[in-house]
Amino acid sequence: MERKDAYPAVDGFRLAAALLAVSIHISPLEALSGEADFVLTRILARTAVPFFFMTSGFFLTEGGSGTEENMRRFTGQMLALYGVSILLYLPLNVYMGYFREGMTLAGFLRDLVFDGTLYHLWYFPAVVLGAWVSWLLIRRFGYGKAFAAAGFLYLAGLLGDSYFGLAEKAKLLREIYEDLFTVSGYTRNGLFFAPVFLTAGMYLGASRDGEAPGKRRFLAAGSLLSFLAMAGEAHAVRALGWPRHDSMYLFLVPCVCFLFRFLLTFRGVRKKALRDVSMFLYVAHPMVMVGLRFAAGLFSVREWLTGHPLVFYLLVCAVSLAAGYGFHCLAAGRRRTRAGKSRGRIWAEISRENLKNNAEALRKDMGEGCKLMAVVKADAYGHGAVCVSRCLNRQGIRHFAVASLEEGVELRRGGILGEILILGWTSPSEAGKLRRYRLTQTVCSLRHGRALERTGVKLQVQLAVDTGMHRLGVGVGKVSGIERLLSGKNLDFTGIYTHLATADGTAPEDRQLLELQERRFSGLLERLKEDGFSLPAVHFQSSYGLLNGKGAPADYVRTGILLYGARSSRDCRMDRTLPLCPVLSLKSSLILVRQMKAGDTAGYGRAFQAERDCRIGVVPVGYGDGWPRSLSCGKGAVLVRGKYAPIAGRICMDQMLVDLTEIPEAMEGDGVTLIGRDGEEEITADLAAGWAGTIANELLSRLGKRVKRRLV
């Protein structure tokens, strides 16, 4: 089922940008009007490559994909395409004399890394280098400082491009750029040109779910005005004779940013055909130009075919588009084949829509002024912490909770924005790392707080208060110690919280402890206010505290299991219910079906013995993937073709057997649902956890790295 929340306007403009890139190499309006051609090819068409950069940055971080693994995947894809393009144009390079006498190894390496082995191939090394520069800057400094650094690089590049005339006026600058041009022939490369657009795209991908349609007029006006300003700038620097090249303008940055954000306001179905065709058009159009010129000479029609730039441009575009569509059909078929083969042994489908709806339902229930703090510890309860947090970031959620320093660092490296609270203990010796990654540390005890204060490192912290859980936290009665911590110089307290021990309990004594904890916490807060302390953000409710507590005022609610549309167990107390849907479905497939006769045994220890002739299926899932061994021997089941298939015998590390006797239509290759819906039947996480004698929190958190997570 196709997503309806993709960006079709961005896909459409990819094709327009590719057509503009072709115009640069043909100058189609030159014979009609030099001024019109200048506006088309030297101003309007200069938005094409920056747009491609922004698009790459956006989709590198959009939807939870901004991880180092995906950066490496992107790098591999771009370098592979660059390598194919180099080989494709090798005959043309030879024909044009590229490898004739005078070519040096240093010159070839310069072209390979910066300038491209053919004039338009510079884009590929530029987007790879620029993406890594941007990503590393963001990872180290955050988006704001990274964009500022990328802007500085862009300004430096301007002096080697459209503003080179200014640099020439200063002897030192002239010498610097002359030396620079021995390394790279231009500054329109991955170091100076690309990062500012890639960083902007990465920020938009990570921080929001597109733009609200209500901003369309403002963004359209911004695009138009900045383009007009860029046009004036281009004419001015040309009149002054400053350009060494004319790829970079001051107003090009706001122009492309406004344009890209305008395109994001249009939502709909993803247009893969436009993406494939535009990529093919950009890569292959010089080959089409050479082929058409050769054909024109061969058939003696050069005068009317290639002698008129506009006719030649239209013909190059038409042939390239037709060939590009053929390429798309081949690529689409290959993708379908690869998708069918690469489902893997076991995978989890993470519903983007259900996560979004759950977050909205919880936020509405919290009341005005209270914010959702998403608990994404234990890899977001097995759902994938980075991708889940990315999706929530795009919904405007800016508060997250994790269990450890390592989990917090993983989120920051994934580009997650906002406050990340570490709920667990972190050694004071790691204070520098807490500061570097802008993480908020829980003060777990008075001794822990004093040790953090003594590090001398300015840290953001939150105070955990023990009101009856008797786990981490400063005792609720230690008011003087708490006040001394709050008065320290190095610790910036952004929150104070407690954890409720029995918020989901059903026994009367559970209710009593819940109310006692709430009273104790409220009493401490009142005492601190009476003593003249301004309270930081307050939170005490977790998922079940929200549903079963008194609803006392708070700044945040820490939502864990309910955010993922699950409940811990079917015995949990829930005074209220919310319209929540499961976010995770766990799937596999039947890899083998075999007949067994009555009396035959299967699996370790002959734990399964056929009482009649039966059919057994092999599912490539085991306790090595996190599926509990306690579900062996019929205690658990899976769904095949919408029917329950009991687990037969013992679950192994990598495989398990299921009894298919009552599902005679089942065959090899059929899908298997371990958690989720299949037809009219559904296995929920709490149902499977109940069979295993545990809770859904544990079942989901145990899902291992071998389980591939896929956003759907």
Side-chain angles (χ1 to χ4, degrees):
M1 186 169 150
E2 289 188 283
R3 284 177 53 199
K4 304 293 185 183
D5 61 341
Y7 306 95
V10 172
D11 292 331
F13 198 81
R14 288 185 207 236
L15 185 59
L19 293 171
L20 287 172
V22 177
S23 73
I24 295 173
H25 303 143
I26 297 178
S27 294
L29 302 181
E30 188 174 29
L32 301 176
S33 167
E35 175 62 22
D37 192 73
F38 178 76
V39 172
L40 173 66
T41 62
R42 294 302 181 262
I43 304 176
L44 181 60
R46 292 310 185 192
T47 63
V49 170
F51 170 80
F52 288 141
F53 287 144
M54 279 201 75
T55 302
S56 295
F58 181 82
F59 287 109
L60 263 173
T61 57
E62 189 264 346
S65 56
T67 63
E68 185 169 350
E69 178 185 354
N70 284 320
M71 281 292 298
R72 295 185 187 281
R73 185 182 300 116
F74 171 78
T75 300
Q77 292 171 345
M78 288 297 102
L79 291 181
L81 187 55
Y82 186 32
V84 169
S85 301
I86 290 173
L87 293 176
L88 178 68
Y89 285 105
L90 195 59
L92 184 59
N93 284 126
V94 173
Y95 174 75
M96 294 170 62
Y98 181 77
F99 296 104
R100 288 177 186 168
E101 189 175 350
M103 166 58 72
T104 64
L105 178 60
F108 176 71
L109 290 176
R110 181 189 69 182
D111 290 346
L112 192 67
V113 176
F114 289 108
D115 298 343
T117 57
L118 200 70
Y119 51 86
H120 74 309
L121 297 184
W122 69 271
Y123 170 81
F124 296 106
V127 76
V128 171
L129 176 59
W132 278 101
V133 169
S134 301
W135 190 77
L136 291 172
L137 285 173
I138 291 167
R139 178 174 163 179
R140 179 66 179 87
F141 300 111
Y143 284 99
K145 292 181 180 178
F147 186 76
F152 176 80
L153 290 172
Y154 186 82
L155 291 174
L158 274 177
L159 290 175
D161 196 90
S162 295
Y163 287 76
F164 184 63
L166 277 180
E168 282 188 312
K169 297 180 185 297
K171 181 181 178 182
L172 178 61
L173 280 177
R174 184 175 67 250
E175 292 176 351
I176 290 173
Y177 280 96
E178 285 175 355
D179 290 340
L180 179 64
F181 291 138
T182 64
V183 178
S184 172
Y186 308 93
T187 54
R188 56 112 172 93
N189 55 39
L191 182 59
F192 297 106
F193 188 15
V196 69
F197 299 105
L198 282 155
T199 303
M202 289 178 180
Y203 169 73
L204 290 175
S207 63
R208 56 173 56 86
D209 195 7
E211 289 289 345
K215 294 184 178 179
R216 253 179 222 161
R217 290 186 180 180
F218 168 74
L219 296 171
S223 302
L224 178 60
L225 291 175
S226 53
F227 174 75
L228 293 175
M230 184 174 71
E233 179 188 5
H235 282 90
V237 295
R238 182 175 67 158
L240 292 168
W242 286 353
R244 180 180 183 274
H245 199 60
D246 54 9
S247 292
M248 303 171 70
Y249 299 112
L250 276 170
F251 283 98
L252 180 60
V253 177
C255 180
V256 175
C257 288
F258 273 116
L259 173 64
F260 192 83
R261 293 182 66 186
F262 171 71
L263 296 172
L264 290 181
T265 65
F266 298 90
R267 308 302 295 274
V269 177
R270 183 172 292 171
K271 306 294 183 183
K272 291 183 179 179
L274 293 176
R275 291 186 295 157
D276 288 342
V277 172
S278 61
M279 183 197 66
F280 181 89
L281 182 63
Y282 181 84
V283 172
H285 75 268
M287 189 66 70
V288 174
M289 291 166 59
V290 172
L292 287 174
R293 287 194 174 109
F294 177 78
L298 186 64
F299 294 102
S300 302
V301 290
R302 183 172 296 167
E303 183 177 349
W304 69 267
L305 186 62
T306 61
H308 300 278
L310 182 57
V311 173
F312 184 54
Y313 171 73
L314 294 174
L315 190 59
V316 168
C317 291
V319 173
S320 299
L321 288 170
Y325 185 73
F327 166 79
H328 161 70
C329 294
L330 291 173
R334 185 178 178 185
R335 277 196 293 263
R336 284 192 294 269
T337 301
R338 188 166 59 242
K341 291 180 177 179
S342 65
R343 290 190 304 175
R345 316 170 45 250
I346 177 173
W347 66 95
E349 295 176 355
I350 310 300
S351 172
R352 196 188 306 249
E353 192 67 22
N354 287 355
L355 179 63
K356 177 180 177 180
N357 292 340
N358 292 348
E360 286 305 309
L362 289 163
R363 288 163 96 174
K364 287 179 182 178
D365 193 71
M366 290 171 190
E368 188 176 353
C370 187
K371 298 178 182 178
L372 185 153
M373 179 180 284
V375 181
V376 292
K377 61 183 180 178
D379 202 26
Y381 290 60
H383 291 64
V386 172
C387 70
V388 164
S389 301
R390 287 274 186 175
C391 292
L392 295 174
N393 251 177
R394 292 168 62 214
Q395 283 183 257
I397 292 171
R398 293 293 184 272
H399 298 278
F400 299 89
V402 296
S404 66
L405 172 65
E406 291 74 21
E407 289 183 343
V409 169
E410 180 188 15
L411 293 191
R412 281 288 185 243
R413 287 179 173 174
I416 302 305
L417 303 173
E419 183 174 32
I420 299 174
L421 171 63
I422 299 173
L423 297 171
W425 181 86
T426 300
S427 171
S429 65
E430 299 280 14
K433 207 168 187 179
L434 290 168
R435 173 82 174 174
R436 176 184 174 188
Y437 287 99
R438 308 179 311 284
L439 302 173
T440 302
Q441 174 58 43
T442 288
V443 173
C444 300
S445 66
L446 290 178
R447 179 180 296 177
H448 187 224
R450 289 192 291 265
L452 290 171
E453 173 71 31
R454 285 196 301 269
T455 65
V457 179
K458 299 290 185 181
L459 296 175
Q460 284 195 334
V461 298
Q462 292 203 19
L463 179 68
V465 179
D466 178 19
T467 57
M469 182 81 162
H470 298 325
R471 204 169 57 176
L472 297 181
V474 178
V476 69
K478 298 180 179 180
V479 179
S480 60
I482 290 173
E483 291 181 344
R484 282 195 295 272
L485 283 179
L486 293 174
S487 302
K489 296 180 180 180
N490 295 320
L491 302 184
D492 176 16
F493 283 86
T494 65
I496 180 170
Y497 71 93
T498 192
H499 194 54
L500 304 176
T502 58
D504 60 344
T506 57
E509 53 268 29
D510 293 334
R511 184 72 172 183
Q512 291 170 6
L513 179 57
L514 172 63
E515 294 175 353
L516 177 60
Q517 284 193 264
E518 290 179 343
R519 287 198 305 272
R520 285 173 172 172
F521 190 54
S522 298
L524 172 65
L525 299 180
E526 288 299 322
R527 173 69 182 276
L528 292 175
K529 285 192 287 187
E530 289 173 2
D531 290 346
F533 287 88
S534 297
L535 294 180
V538 172
H539 50 107
F540 60 94
Q541 294 172 331
S542 57
S543 292
Y544 291 103
L546 174 66
L547 298 182
N548 303 329
K550 290 183 177 180
D555 295 289
Y556 308 125
V557 172
R558 303 185 304 271
T559 53
I561 192 68
L562 291 185
L563 179 62
Y564 308 106
R567 55 181 178 175
S568 297
S569 73
R570 303 206 160 187
D571 298 328
C572 286
R573 176 171 139 241
M574 297 179 67
D575 292 350
R576 295 181 296 113
T577 59
L578 297 176
L580 307 176
C581 297
V583 173
L584 179 143
S585 297
L586 191 62
K587 306 288 184 70
S588 187
S589 56
L590 291 173
I591 59 171
L592 189 148
V593 176
R594 65 170 74 250
Q595 294 289 142
M596 294 184 64
K597 294 182 178 180
D600 285 350
T601 61
Y604 284 124
R606 301 188 303 159
F608 175 78
Q609 183 170 19
E611 297 178 354
R612 54 176 176 167
D613 291 352
C614 62
R615 299 173 77 234
I616 294 294
V618 181
V619 181
V621 176
Y623 58 79
D625 305 291
W627 200 240
R629 190 172 182 269
S630 58
L631 292 176
S632 300
C633 301
K635 291 182 180 178
V638 300
L639 295 176
V640 178
R641 297 205 174 202
K643 299 177 181 178
Y644 283 95
I647 294 174
R650 294 178 185 168
I651 294 175
C652 309
M653 182 179 286
D654 312 305
Q655 300 168 41
M656 65 181 178
L657 305 176
V658 295
D659 190 345
L660 300 173
T661 308
E662 301 301 324
I663 316 174
E665 66 274 24
M667 62 180 65
E668 291 180 12
D670 279 353
V672 174
T673 300
L674 293 90
I675 298 175
R677 179 173 292 278
D678 184 356
E680 297 298 317
E681 301 292 348
E682 182 179 19
I683 298 176
T684 59
D686 64 280
L687 176 61
W691 292 339
T694 184
I695 58 174
N697 309 50
E698 180 187 2
L699 181 75
L700 294 170
S701 300
R702 286 175 54 181
L703 297 178
K705 293 183 178 180
R706 300 198 307 193
V707 179
K708 303 301 180 185
R709 277 75 171 175
R710 300 175 183 174
L711 282 169
V712 297

